[in-house]
Amino acid sequence: MDTLNIIVSTGGTGGHIFPALAVADEIKKQHPNAHVLFVGSLYGREKELCQKHGLDFYGLNVRGIKGRGLKAFSALLAMTKAIIESWQFLGRHKPHAVIGFGGYACFAMLLAAKLRHIPTMIHEQNAIAGLANKILAKFVNTICLSLPDTKNQFNPRKCVLTGNPIRHEVAEVVKEEKDYTTLLIMGGSLGAVAINSLAVQLLSTLRDNNIHIIHQCGDHDYPRIVEAYKSHGYSQEEIDTMLFPFIDNMAEVYAKADFALCRAGATSIAELTATKTPALFIPFPYAANDHQTANAQNIVDHHGAIMIKESEIKQYPIDKIVLSILQNKVELEEMAENMGSLAEKDAAEKVVAELNKLLQK
């Protein structure tokens, strides 16, 4: 075979991008001379993350269609143009296979690959598939799943249970020995206003009880949250060590974190289980088909986390709930072990194994 040429496609949020990056790394590990090209949208974080990752990137002018109201027509027109552009792009680059990781950003490239009879795979991170993967699943060759398809969304003959790929540096995290307790607060790669607001409500309790904080709040909400920290007596110097719009080195953060307050995206869950970090999940209520609640429920059932719906936040004394867990070392350790029992650290290897099978065919 000529030099292996693979296209990895997805975008939008870290939940799609990070598994794709993990698989790109594994392809390069198993096939050192392979050329892996990342195709995404021009509007997500994928270009920035690819540059930091040393991957070539190609951007398509696409946006999501579902839930955009009157803007859906222009998004549909852009998607049509992107499919034509992808067809032409594939004709020039002639990849051996195209792998999609969900989200609107991969749809055009995967559809064009199918029309050109190029082998295709998708990976679905969530318990309930998104619209792009539901459509793509009908014609791709292989479907890799993070979780068992209990809702019979896909053709079982195409499906392989691989787990959700995580970055190797996260998979190798070892918890730091320290004499203080750290709460990790994050709302996904883009931040979450509801979780940020809840974090602000917890600040007095956390400060009074000497709980260390690492908080990823997103670019958009950063100015508001900075002021909130200052109003609770934190200096700018302190804030600079605990509050961040976006965190590049999550492995370092997971090594410190004893407990997390976060959304229930599939990639966050995969990383939390791999690093034995128990959590309080507050699922994003507007996720497609409420898939974050489904993602979290499996962890809650195994006693690695607790879950509170966003609509019910005001019904619970969350400051007391979080503090009671953080101050109970035995409970924290039990939850951490339960989290770790659900880890799938070799998911990237399993996905690339399926790619290798597809290439052999």
Side-chain angles (χ1 to χ4, degrees):
M1 181 186 285
D2 297 331
T3 300
L4 186 61
N5 189 11
I6 304 295
I7 288 178
V8 172
S9 185
T10 191
T13 66
H16 293 304
I17 299 166
F18 291 132
L21 292 174
V23 169
D25 280 349
E26 185 61 28
I27 293 170
K28 296 286 285 182
K29 180 180 176 182
Q30 293 190 26
H31 305 278
N33 296 322
H35 179 242
V36 182
L37 176 68
F38 197 112
V39 177
S41 82
L42 295 171
Y43 304 104
R45 265 213 144 96
E46 49 266 44
K47 182 178 181 180
E48 168 198 346
L49 291 170
C50 283
Q51 287 174 340
K52 290 178 179 176
H53 223 72
L55 280 177
D56 291 334
F57 175 81
Y58 184 81
L60 294 170
N61 182 22
V62 289
R63 291 185 185 273
I65 296 170
K66 187 176 180 182
R68 288 183 64 83
L70 294 175
K71 292 182 179 179
F73 179 77
S74 61
L76 185 60
L77 180 62
M79 182 64 74
T80 303
K81 290 180 179 178
I83 292 168
I84 296 169
E85 183 181 348
S86 297
W87 164 273
Q88 295 168 339
F89 181 87
L90 291 169
R92 295 193 301 272
H93 287 264
K94 298 180 173 57
H96 293 98
V98 179
I99 313 175
F101 286 80
Y104 61 86
C106 79
F107 185 81
M109 188 57 66
L110 269 289
L111 180 57
K114 174 62 178 178
L115 294 173
R116 280 198 175 271
H117 306 289
I118 297 169
T120 51
M121 290 172 55
I122 57 172
H123 182 277
E124 175 55 54
Q125 295 91 50
N126 294 298
I128 301 175
L131 180 61
N133 270 358
K134 279 184 178 177
I135 298 172
L136 292 170
K138 298 183 186 302
F139 57 77
V140 298
N141 300 98
T142 305
I143 304 166
C144 296
L145 302 175
S146 287
L147 298 164
D149 184 19
T150 57
K151 298 185 182 298
N152 301 313
Q153 303 164 94
F154 303 124
N155 179 347
R157 289 188 300 246
K158 293 183 178 183
C159 292
V160 183
L161 186 63
T162 60
N164 196 9
I166 58 173
R167 294 162 283 179
H168 66 87
E169 62 267 27
V170 173
E172 295 167 2
V173 162
V174 176
K175 292 291 188 185
E176 290 185 8
E177 292 287 337
K178 48 193 176 62
D179 57 2
Y180 57 88
T181 304
T182 300
L183 174 65
L184 168 61
I185 305 168
M186 58 181 182
S189 61
L190 303 179
V193 172
I195 286 187
N196 291 339
S197 297
L198 178 57
V200 169
Q201 295 175 34
L202 301 179
L203 286 178
S204 294
T205 298
L206 297 174
R207 180 159 193 137
D208 290 347
N209 290 277
N210 197 31
I211 304 297
H212 287 232
I213 301 169
I214 302 174
H215 184 176
Q216 176 178 274
C217 65
D219 294 307
H220 179 74
D221 214 15
Y222 182 77
R224 177 177 76 96
I225 304 304
V226 165
E227 292 307 313
Y229 271 74
K230 288 179 180 176
S231 72
H232 281 79
Y234 289 96
S235 68
Q236 185 63 55
E237 187 177 1
E238 288 177 303
I239 293 169
D240 290 341
T241 67
M242 62 178 68
L243 181 67
F244 310 92
F246 181 73
I247 300 172
D248 283 319
N249 190 354
M250 283 302 296
E252 184 179 310
V253 170
Y254 285 125
K256 292 181 170 69
D258 297 293
F259 190 73
L261 169 63
C262 58
R263 292 298 196 195
T267 296
S268 293
I269 287 177
E271 294 184 348
L272 291 166
T273 56
T275 58
K276 295 186 176 181
T277 308
L280 165 55
F281 290 128
I282 300 177
F284 179 50
Y286 307 110
N289 304 306
D290 198 21
H291 68 252
Q292 287 205 3
T293 298
N295 291 344
Q297 191 60 56
N298 182 52
I299 310 297
V300 173
D301 290 345
H302 285 84
H303 308 293
I306 56 177
M307 174 169 55
I308 297 175
K309 292 187 176 182
E310 188 173 308
S311 60
E312 299 174 355
I313 284 176
K314 293 180 180 178
Q315 299 177 27
Y316 295 91
I318 295 184
D319 55 343
K320 294 178 181 177
I321 293 171
V322 170
L323 187 62
S324 68
I325 294 174
L326 289 172
Q327 292 182 332
N328 188 332
K329 296 296 184 183
V330 174
E331 184 178 9
L332 262 182
E333 288 176 8
E334 287 178 357
M335 292 179 75
E337 289 304 314
N338 292 336
M339 268 295 209
S341 71
L342 298 169
E344 293 272 4
K345 293 189 179 184
D346 60 349
E349 291 95 319
K350 289 179 179 178
V351 172
V352 177
E354 293 307 313
L355 171 64
N356 293 335
K357 291 178 187 176
L358 189 59
L359 294 170
Q360 289 168 6
K361 290 179 183 177

